[in-house]
Amino acid sequence: MLDDTASRPSHASSDHPVVTAPKVGVLLANLGTPDHYSYWPMRRYLNEFLSDTRVIDYPKWKWQPLLQAIILTKRPFSSGANYKSIWNETLNESPLMTITKQQTSALASRMQDAYGGRVMVDYCMRYGNPSTRSKVDAMVKAGCRKILFFPLYPQYAGATSATANDQFFRALMDQTWQPTARVVDPYFEHPRYIEALAQSVERGYAALSEHPDMLVVSYHGMPKRYLMQGDPYHCQCQKTTRLLRERLGWDESRITTTFQSVFGPEEWLKPYTVDHVADLARQGKKKIAVIAPAFSADCIETLEEINEEIRESFEHAGGESFTYIPCLNDDPAHVDALSAVIAENLGGWV
């Protein structure tokens, strides 16, 4: 348990504000989730997400009328249906929320074992609840004089890591007494992350009677224009795949990198997963497995898009065996990797 002792300095007057014992905060951040799959919660969530200029960088005068008048009128219904198909009805929350809570609990236990009550671990979402601002405020009130902000995106992208960082620093602007802050670097090549990925592939393959002809390593996509503007995401994805292949001891013919979740009319990073798996089936690759290393937790893009839409594309093209290898979630090897990243970034603080 955290030491929440608060007291006034011994030399202070009776009306001096109480001061909480200093702690270090570790704030995990993920993309976010609607509060429910019904229309209005979906609309609020999509409005916040699609209004982020890191995500959609079109001029506001051009984008907002289209978003408000057309997209947010229709899309909450289709997106809500997709969320409903994967919703955790028992806890009334999305799988991303459930898994993020499990990750936070596991990491909090690791930090308690390593540092006792000196480190507080919590989570926030860039969009939706719990908001970054609310969690930063809670950590400061709990006495965190230092906060390590950890966006749970292995590969950096402006539309994920950067916008999460933006929101964190906006939250700091609200604090009278700002804590010292650090942001965790992308961990796309961290040995323990690569090891956790490799172990998940080995477990997935061991459970099959026949090994797949191809492992499709599917990353969330982004407009190609962002790559040309200097975003390192594409390169970091390619390196993750290469390091995973090398750890598995495979040659290049057994693994391929693709990109999913294309949105809008412009060209995105290629090949597109949904098209490429169909091409593989037509080329005689009848058994494939798909893994999604860019996602730290299973979510709408993996449970619905990969395991339903992309699976369907493969099977309609003649594919016979489609295996989805789950995200690392709260797997012990993943918790080991995240704990190692946190420990490295807490150097000099605890």
Side-chain angles (χ1 to χ4, degrees):
M1 296 294 291
L2 289 170
D3 177 8
D4 291 322
T5 303
S7 61
R8 294 182 179 86
S10 58
H11 61 276
S13 61
S14 60
D15 62 349
H16 191 287
V18 296
V19 179
T20 307
K23 290 181 281 289
V24 173
V26 176
L27 184 56
L28 311 172
N30 215 321
L31 181 76
T33 170
D35 294 327
H36 195 259
Y37 52 75
S38 54
Y39 180 83
W40 287 110
M42 282 301 315
R43 180 171 178 131
R44 285 193 298 272
Y45 174 74
L46 290 172
N47 182 50
E48 184 180 9
F49 175 50
L50 296 175
S51 293
D52 184 351
T53 55
R54 288 278 196 179
V55 175
I56 307 291
D57 65 349
Y58 301 147
K60 288 185 178 181
W61 65 265
K62 186 177 184 179
W63 173 244
Q64 281 297 321
L66 176 64
L67 176 65
Q68 301 299 328
I70 299 176
I71 295 173
L72 290 180
T73 300
K74 300 178 179 180
R75 187 155 179 173
F77 291 109
S78 59
S79 294
N82 292 339
Y83 269 98
K84 184 177 181 179
S85 72
I86 65 166
W87 200 254
N88 184 339
E89 295 288 357
T90 302
L91 298 177
N92 192 28
E93 62 190 21
S94 74
L96 176 65
M97 181 68 76
T98 303
I99 295 164
T100 302
K101 288 178 179 178
Q102 292 168 343
Q103 292 171 328
T104 303
S105 177
L107 288 167
S109 178
R110 296 290 184 90
M111 295 303 106
Q112 176 68 27
D113 291 343
Y115 306 114
R118 292 175 291 166
V119 175
M120 173 182 183
V121 181
D122 209 341
Y123 72 95
C124 65
M125 299 293 179
R126 170 60 183 89
Y127 313 104
N129 297 306
S131 69
T132 306
R133 179 171 278 104
S134 69
K135 291 296 187 170
V136 168
D137 190 55
M139 280 192 161
V140 171
K141 288 178 179 176
C144 293
R145 297 304 319 136
K146 298 179 175 69
I147 297 178
L148 177 66
F149 186 66
F150 191 175
L152 292 175
Y153 306 110
Q155 299 79 19
Y156 175 96
T160 54
S161 309
T163 190
N165 294 339
D166 291 345
Q167 199 73 346
F168 174 58
F169 288 111
R170 288 189 195 103
L172 293 179
M173 292 170 65
D174 292 340
Q175 298 302 320
T176 301
W177 186 3
Q178 287 184 330
T180 302
R182 288 178 181 171
V183 174
V184 174
D185 277 343
Y187 54 101
F188 65 97
E189 58 184 347
H190 196 284
R192 292 203 180 184
Y193 164 66
I194 299 299
E195 179 62 26
L197 287 176
Q199 289 182 20
S200 73
V201 173
E202 290 167 344
R203 281 196 306 272
Y205 275 44
L208 300 173
S209 57
E210 292 185 272
H211 285 180
D213 302 314
M214 182 71 70
L215 175 65
V216 177
V217 187
S218 181
Y219 298 87
H220 197 287
M222 71 177 187
K224 183 179 178 181
R225 172 170 52 88
Y226 292 8
L227 167 63
M228 307 313 293
Q229 291 170 350
D231 193 302
Y233 178 72
H234 178 266
C235 299
Q236 293 183 2
C237 292
Q238 296 287 354
K239 187 165 186 180
T240 295
T241 299
R242 176 175 64 79
L243 293 173
L244 173 61
R245 177 180 62 78
E246 291 173 354
R247 160 57 181 81
L248 291 168
W250 293 358
D251 61 52
E252 295 181 3
S253 65
R254 297 181 61 184
I255 190 168
T256 185
T257 297
T258 63
F259 299 89
Q260 63 184 83
S261 308
V262 176
F263 175 79
E266 64 182 304
E267 182 181 0
W268 281 42
L269 298 178
K270 291 183 177 180
Y272 300 150
T273 306
V274 68
D275 297 331
H276 193 64
V277 296
D279 291 340
L280 289 173
R282 287 189 284 265
Q283 293 165 11
K285 307 288 187 183
K286 301 297 185 179
K287 303 184 293 295
I288 67 170
V290 180
I291 190 172
F295 301 96
S296 63
D298 275 307
C299 54
I300 192 74
E301 286 88 356
T302 62
L303 298 175
E304 192 281 328
E305 184 179 0
I306 291 179
N307 215 17
E308 295 182 22
E309 178 186 345
I310 291 170
R311 175 193 291 271
E312 185 177 288
S313 175
F314 176 70
E315 293 175 346
H316 281 184
E320 298 171 358
S321 175
F322 182 101
T323 300
Y324 171 60
I325 297 174
C327 291
L328 296 176
N329 298 326
D330 64 340
D331 179 78
H334 190 212
V335 176
D336 285 345
L338 297 178
S339 297
V341 172
I342 290 170
E344 291 165 10
N345 281 270
L346 288 178
W349 274 10
V350 291

